[in-house]
Each structure stands twice: as C-alpha cells, then as structure tokens.
C-alpha cells in the first residue's frame, strides 16, 4: 500500500452572514463549482448533468458555478438550465467572492464517480481519489455547508463523517429521493453544527 504525506487546506474560520435559500422554499440547495468540463467528453457517467436533470423529481436545487476553458462545453448545461427549473447555471465568480456566495446554499456537492467501473472513463480523478483533498472542502466548512462527496475520497470523507459535517456517498445514493429527504431532515430540521 502506498503511503502519502500531505498538508490539507482547512477553513479560514469564516462565520456565514447570508441566510440560506432553503429558508424561503424549504428545499435543499446544493452547490458545485470550480474547474469544469463537459462530462460527456470522456465517456463516463455525467454526474452533474444527470443529477441536474433529476432535481425536480428528487426535490432539490443544484447550482453550478463552472470555470470552463471552453464555452461550447457548457452548451448542454445552459440548455438544461433553460429546461429544468431546479437546475441553475451561474457565471463563475472569483475566489473571495465564491466564499461569500456559497453561504446561501445548504450542501457543498463534489463530483460523484460512477459505481460501475465500466462507466468511469479515462479521467484520473475517477481512478483513485482516496488521498484527494479539495480546497473547496474548507470553503464549505466556512460557508456553513454540509459536504457530500464520493466515498472514494477517503481522506475528506473520513474528516467530514468524523465531525458530522458531511458524508461520503456512492452514485446510486444521490439518485434516490429518500437519500435527499433524509439529508433534508438532518440539515434543515435537526441542524448541522
């Protein structure tokens, strides 16, 4: 087994100041942002796109803040935002603006790779994300967001679950309405510290 030494980036200690969107509609609002490309290009399961298509049936909102090198790669997502009321495509924001923008959401959502290895495609992040540590994880802590990430991101999932600020999941879970209803109960009704 490979040993790793890494220094994870933690939160800044920010205190959220913006009211959550869920206060107005009692629905979970997820946010995903950062470097992004059309998920269909590599032949793998298109997590954000597929979840975006199903937001209404799942009873959630998904907000995407993509930073993309290709405007054409966002065409499918623009079309999806026009078609599906609960999927929202936003313009990218700068890093320090990102920290204040995400405070209005309930869940910081990471890419969830496919359960089936045939659907993984050739993207490295799907092969072995076990030691991955995204700086967004600290941002989500600062924004008062609960984090939902792949169980394969063992380092982040361990920290999130240990401190009760998020959880690792598999593809089949994020496609089930009962999963989101359970999170709604946990986050909006019971509260997450």
């Amino acid at each position: 087994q490979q040993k790793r030494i890494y220094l994870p980036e933690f939160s800044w200690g920010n205190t959220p100041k913006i009211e959550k969107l869920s206060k107005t509609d009692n629905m979970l609002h997820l946010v995903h942002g950062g470097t992004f490309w059309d998920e269909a290009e590599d032949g793998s399961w298109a997590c954000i796109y597929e979840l975006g298509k199903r937001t209404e049936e799942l009873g959630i909102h998904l907000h995407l803040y993509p930073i993309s090198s290709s405007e054409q790669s966002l065409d499918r997502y623009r079309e999806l935002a026009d078609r599906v009321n609960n999927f929202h495509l936003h313009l990218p924001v700068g890093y320090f603006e990102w920290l204040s923008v995400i405070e209005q959401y309930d869940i910081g959502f990471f890419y969830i790779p496919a359960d089936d290895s045939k659907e993984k495609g050739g993207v490295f992040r799907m092969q072995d994300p076990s030691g991955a540590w995204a700086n967004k994880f600290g941002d989500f802590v600062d924004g008062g967001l609960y984090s939902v990430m792949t169980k394969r991101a063992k380092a982040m999932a361990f920290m999130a679950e240990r401190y009760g600020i998020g959880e690792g999941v598999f593809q089949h879970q994020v496609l089930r309405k009962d999963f989101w209803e359970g999170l709604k109960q946990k986050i909006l009704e019971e509260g997450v510290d």
Side-chain angles (χ1 to χ4, degrees):
Q1 186 167 33
Q2 183 184 17
K3 293 186 178 187
R4 298 182 177 106
I5 296 175
Y6 62 95
L7 298 171
E9 182 177 319
F10 294 102
S11 62
W12 292 95
N14 180 58
T15 302
K17 297 161 194 64
I18 300 173
E19 190 171 272
K20 303 284 187 195
L21 293 173
S22 55
K23 293 268 189 209
T24 60
D25 63 10
N26 201 35
M27 294 177 77
L28 287 174
H29 287 260
L30 289 61
V31 63
H32 179 86
T35 305
F36 195 80
W37 62 91
D38 186 340
E39 300 165 292
E41 288 178 8
D42 63 26
S44 63
W45 181 64
C47 171
I48 303 300
Y49 187 80
E50 290 300 321
L51 190 62
K53 281 194 328 192
R54 301 171 191 206
T55 52
E56 291 174 349
E57 74 183 69
L58 296 172
I60 59 174
H61 284 266
L62 177 57
H63 299 262
L64 175 61
Y65 287 84
I67 297 172
S68 176
S69 59
S70 166
E71 281 302 308
Q72 287 92 353
S73 71
L74 296 176
D75 286 347
R76 286 184 346 132
Y77 300 88
R78 283 188 197 93
E79 182 182 296
L80 186 62
D82 289 341
R83 224 179 46 234
V84 178
N85 291 331
N86 292 15
F87 178 75
H88 312 277
L89 181 63
H90 300 273
L91 293 172
V93 295
Y95 182 70
F96 289 102
E97 187 181 356
W98 164 255
L99 288 175
S100 60
V101 164
I102 63 172
E103 293 178 357
Q104 64 189 314
Y105 304 115
D106 305 294
I107 295 176
F109 187 75
F110 291 86
Y111 185 90
I112 311 294
D115 292 345
D116 185 344
S117 61
K118 292 184 300 233
E119 295 181 31
K120 282 186 184 176
V123 178
F124 177 75
R125 70 176 172 188
M126 292 182 229
Q127 304 306 319
D128 181 18
S130 61
W133 193 277
N135 62 354
K136 282 188 287 259
F137 183 71
D139 295 344
F140 294 153
V141 171
D142 273 333
L145 282 72
Y146 189 82
S147 290
V148 173
M149 68 210 62
T150 175
K151 273 200 180 291
R152 294 184 193 141
K154 292 178 184 173
M156 288 192 301
F158 170 78
M159 289 291 282
E161 290 167 6
R162 179 177 183 144
Y163 294 105
I165 56 171
E167 63 191 86
V169 299
F170 293 112
Q171 172 195 13
H172 69 274
Q173 290 174 274
V174 299
L175 298 177
R176 290 194 341 241
K177 186 172 177 114
D178 64 325
F179 170 75
W180 296 110
E181 287 173 350
L183 275 187
K184 180 179 175 183
Q185 168 76 28
K186 182 180 204 171
I187 296 168
L188 300 188
E189 294 170 30
E190 296 168 18
V192 175
D193 182 3

